[in-house]
Amino acid sequence: EGAAVIATIPFPTPLIRTPWTIGAAQLTYYLRTTLIVPAAPASAIIVLRHATDDGMVAYVNGVEKARYNMTGAQPILHDLLAPVASAEGVVACAALPGVSAGTHTLAVEVHQSSTTSSDVVFGAEVLQVIPPSLQIQHNTGTATVSWPNDPSWALVQSTGVAGPYTAVANNPASPYTPPVPTGNVFYQ
């Protein structure tokens, strides 16, 4: 017996637990949960961060989005084995392309590597990663700060890289050419 969790952080209460009975007859395990993706800038990337023993295929709304330790493009069958046992304790990340804001179904099939495998592991979290988008263009005597035109973004500044950061006066739009500073100014 074991437990599987597909959840968001912070973990829901009570925890999602899927009991697994491990045996040679069970080569593939199936998990499914609802995934709610909040609105984000267009540059956001949805990532499945997982620990899997031995192989897995992840689907969002029935469309394959990620594989780990499974061979190429063949259809996945309930009795297909992962090609090799995966290393213990490895945490891997896989982008889930084309997943937009909204409610989705995340389904994962976890595959054993042999009919004599004595363990199965799958733990995962889904992350929304927003890459840095602030750009600073240095010109002679001036600098221009630009960022995506998104009303949820606000430019902040500090005289030290560790902060504290405060909002730039008048909440300027991008691109912004600040006055020439007398010392260091850091922007986020």
Side-chain angles (χ1 to χ4, degrees), residues 36-93:
I36 299 173
V37 177
S43 62
I45 302 165
I46 306 301
V47 175
L48 177 68
R49 182 172 180 251
H50 64 93
T52 304
D53 181 355
D54 289 306
M56 74 88 189
V57 182
Y59 302 85
V60 176
N61 299 333
V63 177
E64 183 179 320
K65 294 294 182 178
R67 286 178 179 237
Y68 173 77
N69 198 29
M70 296 298 292
T71 56
Q74 86 282 3
I76 300 298
L77 304 173
H78 71 280
D79 60 350
L80 183 68
L81 297 173
V84 296
S86 62
E88 299 291 326
V90 172
V91 176
C93 291

Side-chain angles (χ1 to χ4, degrees), residues 133-182:
S133 296
L134 187 68
Q135 298 178 4
I136 301 177
Q137 177 69 42
H138 296 277
N139 305 314
T140 305
T142 66
T144 301
V145 182
S146 59
W147 59 93
N149 274 332
D150 183 320
S152 66
W153 290 51
L155 187 63
V156 294
Q157 67 185 8
S158 175
T159 56
V161 72
Y165 283 83
T166 57
V168 174
N170 301 319
N171 192 24
S174 176
Y176 170 64
T177 302
V180 177
T182 56

Side-chain angles (χ1 to χ4, degrees), residues 23-24 26-27 54 81-85 111-119:
Q26 184 85 24
L27 302 177
D54 289 306
L81 297 173
V84 296
H111 293 260
Q112 297 284 59
S113 64
S114 76
T115 57
T116 59
S117 182
S118 63
D119 62 351

